[in-house]
Amino acid sequence: MDKTLIKFGERVRNLRKLASISIEELSFRSGLNRNYISDVERGKRNISLKAISKIAQGLNVPIEALFIN
């Protein structure tokens, strides 16, 4: 697997857990499929910029927060 995708997915998961929300809740908030978010968190999806933007909105964080360790 691609290390970049894995690191990004870990960051999404960490921010989601900090927000104390489930994958299902993030799915609802972002308008993305639950399985898609799960795949992103596991580093199995090469996510688009549009989806990154939706996830950031769902987490209520700026996009750049998804790229900061």
Side-chain angles (χ1 to χ4, degrees):
M1 273 193 251
D2 187 305
K3 288 181 185 180
T4 302
L5 297 178
I6 292 170
K7 283 187 165 195
F8 182 82
E10 289 171 351
R11 180 65 178 160
V12 170
R13 180 181 296 119
N14 290 338
L15 288 171
R16 178 178 60 76
K17 289 185 176 189
L18 281 174
S20 299
I21 61 174
S22 66
I23 290 177
E24 290 80 8
E25 180 63 22
L26 180 54
S27 172
F28 175 75
R29 291 182 183 189
S30 65
L32 297 169
N33 183 280
R34 186 193 85 63
N35 291 329
Y36 183 86
I37 293 175
S38 177
D39 285 350
V40 168
E41 287 190 359
R42 291 181 291 129
K44 294 191 174 205
R45 289 278 181 155
N46 190 3
I47 187 169
S48 72
L49 289 174
K50 286 182 181 181
I52 289 170
S53 177
K54 289 179 179 185
I55 287 175
Q57 288 173 357
L59 291 169
N60 198 29
V61 298
I63 291 173
E64 57 268 19
L66 296 174
F67 297 97
I68 299 170
N69 285 330

